[in-house]
């Protein structure tokens, strides 16, 4: 909800006014406090209630991370297959 309020505030500004508005809000101290509050809310909502959702969050997070780590290799593989196709040697692969 805080992000929506921030976006609504910025929406009415001119582009050149935005950096001066955001700079005081994006100090290291504010970022640390925001992260601490978010972690505290997460702990209250999921950990202290013995919810199984943190396990799902970890599983989905690891799945997304492994996909992103493997993505460059897959792109290289697909580019190689496309190059073979352009050369007419696609049937010789695999």
């Amino acid at each position: 909800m805080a992000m929506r309020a921030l976006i609504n505030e910025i929406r009415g500004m001119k582009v050149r006014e935005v950096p001066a508005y955001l700079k005081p809000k994006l100090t290291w101290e504010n970022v640390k406090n925001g992260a601490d509050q978010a972690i505290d809310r997460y702990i209250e909502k999921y950990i202290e209630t013995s919810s199984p959702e943190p396990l799902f969050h970890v599983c989905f997070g690891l799945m997304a991370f492994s996909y992103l780590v493997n993505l460059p290799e897959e792109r290289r593989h697909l580019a190689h297959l496309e190059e073979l196709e352009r050369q007419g040697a696609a049937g010789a692969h695999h």
Side-chain angles (χ1 to χ4, degrees):
M1 289 306 232
M3 184 63 81
R4 185 176 298 167
L6 179 68
I7 290 172
N8 287 336
E9 290 176 13
I10 292 174
R11 189 173 289 157
M13 295 181 179
K14 293 183 179 180
V15 173
R16 71 181 122 215
E17 297 170 348
V18 173
Y21 175 76
L22 288 179
K23 192 170 184 176
K25 294 183 180 289
L26 292 178
T27 63
W28 184 246
E29 194 63 35
N30 285 346
V31 171
K32 280 181 18 181
N33 288 340
D36 286 342
Q37 289 173 357
I39 290 170
D40 289 342
R41 284 192 306 268
Y42 186 86
I43 289 171
E44 282 179 23
K45 186 174 182 180
Y46 296 114
I47 307 298
E48 291 177 356
T49 60
S50 298
S51 172
E53 286 194 41
L55 181 61
F56 301 144
H57 295 157
V58 168
C59 290
F60 286 125
L62 289 174
M63 182 178 65
F65 178 75
S66 65
Y67 174 78
L68 291 174
V69 166
N70 196 37
L71 188 59
E73 184 177 340
E74 284 298 319
R75 290 182 57 90
R76 282 193 301 272
H77 178 70
L78 289 174
H80 178 70
L81 289 179
E82 288 174 359
E83 182 64 30
L84 286 177
E85 225 173 72
R86 277 195 295 271
Q87 293 174 358
H93 189 65
H94 292 281

